[in-house]
């Protein structure tokens, strides 16, 4: 039995405001770039993101993942943790965690993307 995937995805209201603030501060060119980066950060950190309560729709799935490479990445990196679940609901959860993490780091200084990527590389090396 296949899982019904949503056609739209988003964030909680609070995380949406944080994402908009990051974009206004020119951390990201647009909201979509920030959303995708947040998902990637959460995947790289290997987090088990909590459920998103009261989400606000922001993007059409086809806009976020036109070639389904994001979906395939989540399936490959999360494996059994997403069995029987909606991949795009998991993407929302990952984005929520990532946006909150990016916002928290931006509040104490500027975002250091090189360090974030280095941390992801260290995590990957430790996992292998």
């Amino acid at each position: 039995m296949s899982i019904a995937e949503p056609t739209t995805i988003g964030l909680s209201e609070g995380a949406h405001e944080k994402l908009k603030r990051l974009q206004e501060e020119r951390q990201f060119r647009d909201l979509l770039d920030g959303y995708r980066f947040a998902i990637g950060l959460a995947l790289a950190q290997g987090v088990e993101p909590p459920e998103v309560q009261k989400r606000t729709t922001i993007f059409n799935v086809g806009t976020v993942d036109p070639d389904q490479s994001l979906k395939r990445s989540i399936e490959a990196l999360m494996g059994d943790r997403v069995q029987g679940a909606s991949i795009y609901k998991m993407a929302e959860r990952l984005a929520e965690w990532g946006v909150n993490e990016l916002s928290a780091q931006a509040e104490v200084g500027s975002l250091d993307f090189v360090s974030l990527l280095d941390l992801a590389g260290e995590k990957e090396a430790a996992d292998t």
Side-chain angles (χ1 to χ4, degrees), residues 13-26:
E13 208 170 295
H16 189 203
E17 289 303 315
K18 291 173 184 176
L19 181 59
K20 286 194 265 188
R21 193 168 40 254
L22 289 168
Q23 191 244 337
E24 288 165 2
E25 294 169 355
R26 299 182 187 261

Side-chain angles (χ1 to χ4, degrees), residues 36-48:
R36 286 180 180 144
F37 189 88
I39 292 170
L41 177 63
L43 284 170
Q45 295 293 326
V47 300
E48 191 66 44

Side-chain angles (χ1 to χ4, degrees), residues 117-128:
L117 295 173
D118 284 346
L119 268 173
E122 290 170 14
K123 168 90 172 99
E124 182 181 352
D127 290 345
T128 55

